[in-house]
Amino acid sequence: SQQGEEDPQALSIQEGENATMNCSYKTSINNLQWYRQNSGRGLVHLILIRSNEREKHSGRLRVTLDTSKKSSSLLITASRAADTASYFCATDSGTSYGKLTFGQGTILTVHP
Amino acid sequence: DTAVSQTPKYLVTQMGNDKSIKCEQNLGHDTMYWYKQDSKKFLKIMFSYNNKELIINETVPNRFSPKSPDKAHLNLHINSLELGDSAVYFCASSRPGTGFEQFFGPGTRLTVL
């Protein structure tokens, strides 16, 4: 069964605005990862947050993790047209050799 | 330098045919994966190999058979193709164990007519 549920399914914003995507999951995790997929391309890893971490930053990305609520959020600040892509969260339960369970993804469109 | 490569990029074939997709990584990783992404963009793991040994085998029809000739290559052979096999198939690799990012190939779009 699908582990992650992402919200919203689609998000449309203007350049310069912030974009927030949320991910909820059902079982306990070892870590949670966010990936980006540009149209017609493979997934690219953005950031990994471990279960004992609450917040992590990488450039314009900020990820939070709330294990009590089984949820994570990805914030992209000062968005650019080039950020237009699908964003997926993926959970790693730590019990099965690197197996990632992906959410449905959020389609982000940033208008110039 | 391409880290994870797949061939072919597009594959169009008739129902009932047998086809293969090849994957190679030059990252020196021990672990490789096959994922299937359906038309709704839902991505699901199919198989994983660590150093040529099968370690993850999800509920996949036995028409799908992965083969790892060495730890840099993981191929996917599909027998008796069905319409429902149409999807994008992604290969990925990572360091072994949990807690490592995965590097994805560009995908192979399989269309079964």
Side-chain angles (χ1 to χ4, degrees):
Chain A
S1 64
Q2 189 171 329
Q3 168 77 313
E5 299 283 338
E6 295 190 57
D7 167 54
Q9 290 191 353
L11 181 60
S12 182
I13 60 174
Q14 295 295 126
E15 244 182 348
E17 293 180 341
N18 294 343
T20 299
M21 289 159 266
N22 302 298
C23 168
S24 60
Y25 56 92
K26 295 178 181 140
T27 61
S28 62
I29 61 170
N30 173 281
N31 66 83
L32 184 145
Q33 303 180 30
W34 285 89
Y35 287 80
R36 184 187 75 228
Q37 184 180 30
N38 289 86
S39 181
R41 310 288 289 273
L43 280 77
V44 174
H45 181 265
L46 295 176
I47 198 163
L48 181 153
I49 187 165
R50 301 191 189 281
S51 60
N52 61 354
E53 298 175 310
R54 290 297 165 258
E55 188 171 310
K56 207 160 180 182
H57 296 255
S58 176
R60 293 184 297 114
L61 306 180
R62 173 180 167 252
V63 168
T64 62
L65 178 64
D66 186 334
T67 53
S68 67
K69 295 181 179 177
K70 292 187 167 60
S71 68
S72 174
S73 68
L74 171 68
L75 168 68
I76 304 174
T77 60
S79 63
R80 305 165 182 168
D83 294 329
T84 295
S86 294
Y87 291 82
F88 295 88
C89 68
T91 54
D92 180 351
S93 66
T95 59
S96 187
Y97 227 93
K99 173 183 170 183
L100 292 180
T101 303
F102 281 82
Q104 296 169 296
T106 293
I107 301 171
L108 173 66
T109 304
V110 182
H111 299 281
Chain B
D1 288 340
T2 304
V4 182
S5 60
Q6 294 178 229
T7 53
K9 188 165 175 62
Y10 300 97
L11 189 50
V12 181
T13 188
Q14 299 287 332
M15 258 195 324
N17 284 350
D18 304 339
K19 290 293 178 187
S20 291
I21 306 171
K22 295 186 176 183
C23 177
E24 176 181 1
Q25 55 95 4
N26 62 6
L27 297 167
H29 290 157
D30 285 340
T31 306
M32 296 184 72
Y33 312 82
W34 277 111
Y35 288 88
K36 178 180 180 180
Q37 186 173 45
D38 63 22
S39 58
K40 295 183 180 178
K41 292 201 151 187
F42 178 49
L43 198 70
K44 187 168 169 31
I45 190 165
M46 300 172 69
F47 302 102
S48 175
Y49 271 73
N50 183 64
N51 202 11
K52 304 194 295 176
E53 180 184 341
L54 181 65
I55 54 171
I56 296 174
N57 186 352
E58 293 294 288
T59 309
V60 177
N62 58 15
R63 298 182 294 103
F64 290 79
S65 53
K67 281 190 174 54
S68 182
D70 56 62
K71 69 177 193 177
H73 295 84
L74 180 61
N75 304 323
L76 183 65
H77 189 75
I78 316 170
N79 289 328
S80 304
L81 278 155
E82 299 177 357
L83 294 176
D85 298 332
S86 295
V88 182
Y89 292 85
F90 287 98
C91 176
S93 73
S94 74
R95 291 168 62 185
T98 187
F100 298 109
E101 66 179 285
Q102 294 185 13
F103 293 79
F104 282 76
T108 295
R109 181 173 293 277
L110 171 66
T111 304
V112 182
L113 304 174

